[in-house]
């Protein structure tokens, strides 16, 4: 019965799929079929007779989770099936924790209908806590305070457990205490709370932990090298009863320390589970052997790693082209020239990506691409759910779902403009009514008849009408009703015609964005209204901040960090200079230098057919002209696979050296 699931897998992949019981660590090199191995293992478990309810698969992004679901469903389906096969629990760390918390969070004193804050909303609460403590936000950066609190939560340190001695840390402690208390009062959670609260429940309520251990007897974790301390603890707790833990990843691709990823989690897996079986996936299906040799030569210099030897049945491939240029402008011109030549040979625009260590490096490249008329996209920018028009409409939906959500109320009380000022807003809040919709009515009753009370009455009626619609109609109808009922298009037009206004000129584009929101909501139309609304708001909160390189044919520009998981026929890595890549701050920090080397390894292994590396003698960056040596990583590539082209003394003619 399992033969079709094992078909097409190589020997090591089959071993990983068939090792069912006990802890298993799979080190999966770039392009070695990691997702294939993971999904085939889940399908193998279920097709072998294991009840899908006992399987939990965790990954880092919604996109990866959805891809896993599709692949597993396809593997378990047959042409004669009329129904979808029973599926295991598959999701991100945060989405899994939301599911747990919806049932279990009352033990922590919260209600199950909590809302989840985005970053802007978190900052609002941080600023309020600082204002209460009379701290100057110009002197003490609210975002820095939020980042520190986020780090404490990742380390599973609650306000009650944090007792610093340093002056600045004491300020953080006071802000943290006020911030967390306010969130609890309003039944709100931030993104970090989702995991930390779940771990807290598991540690303090063993009967709840045992329930989920009994449910998820087989646990699989994708990209294990990217797990943080709180994620590591969550998995350790869930797996400690049966120890059927399968983790897959690549220590050599651990590049997210700035997001609290801890490489020690994967390096120390055998210490946590001495009986663990370790399987190495070293066959690469993506790149040429030349590209793999270059990557292998660089990563081999790291001390903290699982040694591996990447190999492929692909052809040897072209040599690595390393080009020295005079400055960043000639570097960009060279890249454009290379693209032109390769397009003449049959390549398309979407075959190229240009990678850099920092966003600041993109400017010269962008100018060169624009001058030549090449369309391009930069991965990154304003994300869909961060646009004003989307956040405005969603705030109405959030308030209906959780009438205590003060941030949503603050956003919409005078949007669109309805004559309710800040002073009135403060008085509404001061009524002490926890249900903010009812607080509008309560305050209105205390006022004598006036235009203001008419505005308050109309606002209350509006909110109640939306509430009624939301409880009776499907999600798409509700959102459409909100847009029409608040006359949002007219509001945008009024802003676009205001004197001196430049922010809202493209009303049509903004309304198109709202139409797209309706499209997103459509998949929840078959769900009971309240449940559909909750799932929709959760999805928005859980969407990861990684843009994709999809769309019409164009050249892709991105930082190396953004490129992980992607592949392109031709990859340009620009700015390979000491002080830039590797970054200057890592030179005297061995563990940070190892991460820079892993970052280089990731960049190189994005290439399928050709890799081009450039470095400049002089570079204008951050307003300063720098003179840098070529990156040490270039010298770590074997000379026999490098085509190294230098700038001649006059700076214009090329001198070509082929080793």
């Amino acid at each position: 019965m399992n033969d079709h699931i094992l078909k097409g897998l190589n020997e090591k992949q089959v071993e990983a799929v068939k090792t069912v019981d006990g802890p298993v660590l799979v080190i999966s090199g770039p392009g070695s079929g990691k997702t294939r191995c993971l999904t085939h293992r889940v399908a193998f478990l279920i097709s072998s007779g294991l009840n899908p309810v006992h399987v939990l698969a965790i990954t880092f992004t919604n996109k990866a989770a959805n891809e896993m679901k599709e692949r597993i469903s396809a593997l378990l389906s047959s042409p004669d099936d009329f129904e979808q096969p029973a599926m295991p629990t598959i999701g991100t760390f945060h989405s899994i924790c939301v599911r747990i918390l919806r049932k279990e969070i009352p033990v922590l004193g919260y209600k199950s209908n909590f809302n989840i804050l985005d970053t802007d909303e978190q900052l609002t609460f941080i600023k309020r806590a600082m204002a209460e403590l009379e701290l100057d936000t110009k002197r003490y950066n609210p975002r820095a305070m939020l980042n520190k609190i986020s780090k404490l939560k990742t380390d599973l340190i609650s306000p009650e457990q944090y007792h610093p001695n340093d002056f600045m840390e004491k300020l953080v402690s006071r802000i943290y205490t006020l911030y967390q208390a306010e969130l609890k009062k309003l039944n709100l959670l931030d993104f970090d709370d989702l995991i930390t609260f779940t771990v807290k429940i598991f540690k303090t309520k063993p009967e709840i932990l045992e329930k989920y251990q009994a449910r998820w007897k087989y646990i699989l974790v994708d990209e294990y090298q990217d797990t943080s301390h709180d994620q590591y603890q969550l998995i350790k707790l869930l797996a400690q009863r049966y120890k059927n833990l399968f983790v897959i990843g690549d220590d050599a691709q651990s590049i997210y320390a700035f997001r609290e990823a801890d490489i020690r989690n994967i390096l120390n897996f055998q210490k946590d589970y001495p009986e663990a079986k370790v399987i190495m996936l070293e066959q690469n299906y993506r790149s040429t052997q030349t590209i793999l040799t270059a990557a292998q030569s660089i990563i081999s210099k790291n001390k903290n790693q699982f040694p591996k030897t990447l190999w492929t049945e692909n052809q040897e491939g072209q040599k690595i082209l390393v080009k020295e240029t005079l400055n960043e402008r000639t570097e960009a011109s060279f890249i454009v020239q290379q693209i032109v030549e390769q397009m003449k040979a049959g390549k398309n625009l979407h075959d190229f990506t240009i990678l850099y260590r920092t966003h600041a490096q993109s400017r010269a490249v962008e100018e060169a691409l624009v001058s030549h008329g090449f369309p391009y996209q930069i991965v990154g920018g304003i994300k869909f759910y961060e646009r004003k028009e989307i956040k405005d409409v969603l705030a109405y939906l959030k308030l209906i779902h959780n009438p205590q959500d003060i941030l949503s109320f603050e956003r919409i009380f005078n949007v669109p403009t309805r004559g309710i000022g800040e002073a009135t807003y403060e008085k509404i809040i001061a009524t002490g009514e926890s249900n903010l919709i009812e607080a509008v009515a309560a305050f209105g009753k205390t006022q004598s008849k006036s235009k203001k009370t008419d505005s308050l009455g109309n606002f209350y009626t509006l909110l109640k009408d939306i509430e009624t619609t939301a409880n009776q109609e499907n999600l798409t109808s509700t959102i459409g009703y909100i847009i029409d009922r608040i006359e949002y298009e007219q509001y945008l037009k009024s802003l676009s015609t205001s004197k001196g206004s430049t922010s809202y000129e493209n009303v049509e584009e903004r309304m198109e964005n709202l139409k797209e929101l309706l499209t997103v909501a459509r998949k929840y139309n078959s769900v009971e209204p309240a449940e559909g609304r909750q799932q929709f708001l959760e999805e928005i909160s859980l969407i990861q901040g990684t843009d994709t390189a999809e769309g019409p044919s164009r050249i892709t520009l991105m930082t190396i960090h953004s490129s992980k998981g992607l592949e392109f026929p031709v990859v340009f890595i620009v700015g390979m200079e000491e002080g830039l890549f590797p970054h200057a701050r890592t030179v005297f920090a061995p563990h940070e230098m190892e991460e820079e080397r892993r970052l280089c390894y990731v960049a190189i292994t994005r290439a399928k057919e050709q890799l081009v590396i450039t470095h400049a003698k002089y570079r204008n960056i951050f307003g300063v002209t720098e003179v840098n040596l070529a990156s040490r990583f270039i010298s770590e590539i074997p000379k026999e696979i490098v085509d190294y082209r230098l700038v001649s003394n006059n700076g214009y003619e090329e001198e070509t050296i082929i080793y």
Side-chain angles (χ1 to χ4, degrees):
M1 181 178 177
N2 294 329
D3 290 348
H4 76 285
I5 291 175
L6 301 177
K7 188 177 181 181
L9 300 179
N10 64 39
E11 182 180 342
K12 288 294 184 181
Q13 290 172 334
V14 169
E15 183 182 2
V17 167
K18 294 180 70 175
T19 306
V20 172
D21 296 316
V24 180
L25 168 62
V26 178
I27 301 297
S28 179
S32 63
K34 174 178 64 65
T35 304
R36 182 179 176 84
C37 182
L38 187 62
T39 53
H40 280 247
R41 179 182 170 88
V42 173
F44 182 84
L45 288 171
I46 295 170
S47 65
S48 298
L50 184 67
N51 189 333
V53 76
H54 292 313
V55 179
L56 170 65
I58 305 178
T59 187
F60 276 84
T61 67
N62 291 290
K63 181 180 178 182
N66 290 333
E67 182 181 350
M68 284 177 61
K69 291 175 185 176
E70 291 172 4
R71 290 197 190 190
I72 292 167
S73 178
L75 286 168
L76 293 174
S77 300
S78 70
D80 299 327
D81 288 339
F82 293 99
E83 296 181 359
Q84 286 289 320
M87 293 290 286
T89 302
I90 301 172
T92 65
F93 278 96
H94 294 95
S95 66
I96 297 299
C97 287
V98 167
R99 292 175 62 171
I100 295 170
L101 292 175
R102 288 294 178 199
K103 295 181 179 179
E104 314 296 349
I105 202 169
V107 302
L108 298 182
Y110 288 76
K111 297 177 183 177
S112 294
N113 68 333
F114 58 83
N115 278 346
I116 304 167
L117 300 177
D118 63 22
T119 304
D120 288 343
E121 292 168 336
Q122 287 178 264
L123 277 171
T124 298
F125 277 107
I126 292 293
K127 290 174 183 176
R128 286 183 178 179
M130 293 176 70
E132 187 171 338
L133 295 169
E134 298 183 346
L135 295 174
D136 186 356
T137 55
K138 293 181 180 178
R139 184 177 181 186
Y140 304 107
N141 188 330
R143 190 172 293 277
M145 298 295 176
L146 177 58
N147 290 341
K148 178 62 179 175
I149 290 170
S150 178
K151 175 68 167 63
L152 289 168
K153 290 187 177 186
T154 300
D155 291 337
L156 299 175
I157 300 172
S158 68
E160 297 77 21
Q161 297 168 318
Y162 189 46
H163 306 292
N165 296 316
D166 177 82
F167 172 74
M168 282 297 296
E169 299 300 312
K170 285 184 177 180
L171 288 184
V172 172
S173 177
R174 294 168 68 192
I175 295 168
Y176 187 10
T177 300
L178 287 176
Y179 169 78
Q180 207 62 30
E182 186 70 6
L183 262 57
K184 186 170 186 178
K185 176 183 174 184
L186 299 172
N187 201 39
L188 298 170
L189 273 63
D190 66 23
F191 215 56
D192 296 311
D193 289 332
L194 299 177
I195 297 177
T196 58
F197 281 12
T198 305
V199 171
K200 183 176 182 179
I201 290 171
F202 284 169
K203 285 185 173 181
T204 58
K205 301 291 181 181
E207 68 279 7
I208 295 178
L209 173 60
E210 289 172 8
K211 179 172 65 174
Y212 289 96
Q213 288 174 335
R215 178 178 179 180
W216 293 319
K217 297 178 181 179
Y218 291 83
I219 301 171
L220 302 92
V221 185
D222 191 14
E223 303 285 12
Y224 193 65
Q225 78 282 348
D226 293 336
T227 52
S228 54
H229 177 69
D230 55 342
Q231 292 164 343
Y232 162 80
Q233 288 291 339
L234 176 73
I235 295 303
K236 191 174 181 181
L237 287 165
L238 282 171
Q240 68 184 8
R241 182 174 178 182
Y242 292 100
K243 292 186 170 57
N244 295 321
L245 176 60
F246 175 95
V247 302
I248 189 167
D250 184 6
D251 57 293
Q253 296 185 69
S254 179
I255 60 173
Y256 295 128
F258 67 97
R259 295 183 190 168
E260 305 305 328
D262 191 341
I263 193 174
R264 293 174 299 181
N265 294 345
I266 193 168
L267 293 177
N268 294 336
F269 188 81
Q270 289 168 283
K271 292 182 180 179
D272 291 335
Y273 305 94
E275 71 277 30
K277 184 169 188 176
V278 180
I279 300 169
M280 309 291 288
L281 301 185
E282 298 171 302
Q283 182 176 0
N284 178 284
Y285 294 92
R286 175 191 298 157
S287 307
T288 66
Q289 186 59 55
T290 298
I291 290 167
L292 296 182
T293 300
Q296 186 76 46
S297 299
I298 290 172
I299 201 64
S300 66
K301 303 296 187 295
N302 275 5
K303 293 181 179 179
N304 297 308
Q305 63 167 314
F306 283 97
K308 63 184 74 67
T309 302
L310 302 178
W311 63 278
T312 183
E313 293 179 348
N314 296 339
Q315 61 183 356
E316 192 73 19
Q318 303 177 59
K319 289 189 173 185
I320 310 300
L321 174 55
V322 178
K323 177 69 173 79
E324 178 191 55
T325 67
L326 186 62
N327 53 41
E328 75 276 6
R329 293 187 302 279
T330 55
E331 178 183 57
S333 296
F334 173 77
I335 291 168
V336 169
Q337 174 194 339
Q338 286 290 306
I339 292 172
V340 169
E341 291 178 4
Q342 296 206 37
M343 289 187 69
K344 289 178 181 177
K347 286 284 190 293
N348 296 308
L349 289 173
H350 60 254
D351 291 331
F352 304 99
T353 189
I354 302 168
L355 306 180
Y356 35 78
R357 180 64 180 81
T358 64
H359 281 294
Q361 293 169 252
S362 72
R363 180 187 56 82
V365 177
E366 287 185 71
E367 290 177 358
L369 293 174
V370 170
S371 296
H372 201 275
F374 279 145
Y376 68 92
Q377 63 177 347
I378 295 181
V379 174
I382 297 177
K383 300 171 184 63
F384 182 77
Y385 293 108
E386 293 177 355
R387 294 168 180 167
K388 172 183 164 53
E389 61 273 19
I390 301 298
K391 296 189 79 168
D392 284 349
V393 171
L394 288 179
Y396 280 91
L397 201 63
K398 286 184 175 183
L399 184 63
I400 297 305
H401 183 65
N402 177 10
Q404 293 175 271
D405 189 344
I406 193 170
L407 289 183
S408 293
F409 183 77
E410 182 178 7
R411 186 175 190 94
I412 57 95
F413 78 89
N414 203 35
V415 173
T417 307
R418 55 177 58 89
I420 302 176
E422 290 286 343
T424 302
Y425 164 79
E426 295 293 344
K427 290 174 182 176
I428 293 171
I429 301 301
T431 62
E433 172 69 56
S434 61
N435 184 317
L436 294 170
I437 298 174
E438 297 305 324
V440 175
F443 176 72
K445 290 176 182 177
T446 66
Q447 305 298 301
S448 56
K449 183 72 174 175
S450 66
K451 285 186 178 181
K452 181 168 69 175
T453 55
D454 287 342
S455 295
L456 288 169
N458 291 338
F459 185 36
Y460 177 74
T461 301
L462 166 70
L463 294 176
K464 295 301 288 185
D465 287 349
I466 293 173
E467 185 179 53
T468 300
T469 302
N471 290 330
Q472 295 177 352
E473 302 290 337
N474 63 43
L475 188 59
T476 302
S477 297
T478 298
I479 295 175
Y481 178 82
I482 292 171
I483 295 168
D484 292 336
R485 183 73 168 77
I486 66 176
E487 300 181 335
Y488 197 77
E489 185 171 5
Q490 289 88 327
Y491 166 67
L492 290 178
K493 288 177 178 177
S494 70
L495 291 174
S496 68
T497 55
S498 297
K499 185 177 180 181
S501 173
T502 59
S503 300
Y504 299 94
E505 293 176 350
N506 198 338
V507 174
E508 184 178 343
E509 181 180 336
R510 291 179 179 274
M511 291 306 296
E512 287 294 330
N513 291 336
L514 291 174
K515 290 178 183 176
E516 182 61 22
L517 185 66
L518 294 173
T519 302
V520 177
R522 197 166 292 142
K523 64 181 175 182
Y524 295 102
N525 283 352
S526 60
V527 184
E528 187 271 328
E531 181 66 20
R533 183 168 67 249
Q534 177 171 293
Q535 291 180 15
F536 175 65
L537 292 174
E538 282 177 6
E539 178 193 21
I540 292 168
S541 297
L542 296 171
I543 285 174
Q544 304 298 303
T546 304
D547 291 342
T548 61
E550 299 173 352
S553 184
R554 45 190 170 170
I555 299 164
T556 301
L557 282 66
M558 68 182 103
T559 63
I560 299 167
H561 282 99
S562 297
S563 73
K564 188 170 176 288
L566 303 177
E567 59 182 46
F568 297 86
V570 182
V571 170
F572 295 90
I573 308 176
V574 303
M576 285 281 279
E577 299 141 27
E578 287 291 305
L580 193 55
F581 192 25
H583 197 281
R585 69 168 178 265
T586 69
V587 174
F588 300 108
H591 68 285
E592 291 187 18
M593 180 58 73
E594 290 210 347
E595 176 142 338
E596 288 291 288
R597 193 170 275 111
R598 294 194 295 269
L599 193 60
C600 186
Y601 175 84
V602 167
I604 290 173
T605 54
R606 299 312 94 197
K608 297 168 69 175
E609 301 170 14
Q610 186 173 10
L611 175 65
V612 181
I613 296 172
T614 62
H615 65 97
K617 280 188 171 184
Y618 310 99
R619 184 175 299 276
N620 294 301
I621 190 166
F622 306 124
V624 177
T625 300
E626 296 182 346
V627 182
N628 295 325
L629 298 173
S631 170
R632 68 188 68 190
F633 300 149
I634 294 175
S635 64
E636 292 172 358
I637 302 174
K639 292 183 178 180
E640 61 269 18
I641 63 170
V642 175
D643 173 359
Y644 202 165
R645 302 180 187 178
L646 297 173
V647 173
S648 64
N649 291 334
N650 62 23
Y652 294 99
E653 297 177 5
E654 278 187 358
E655 177 184 339
T656 302
I657 301 176
I658 302 179
Y659 292 98

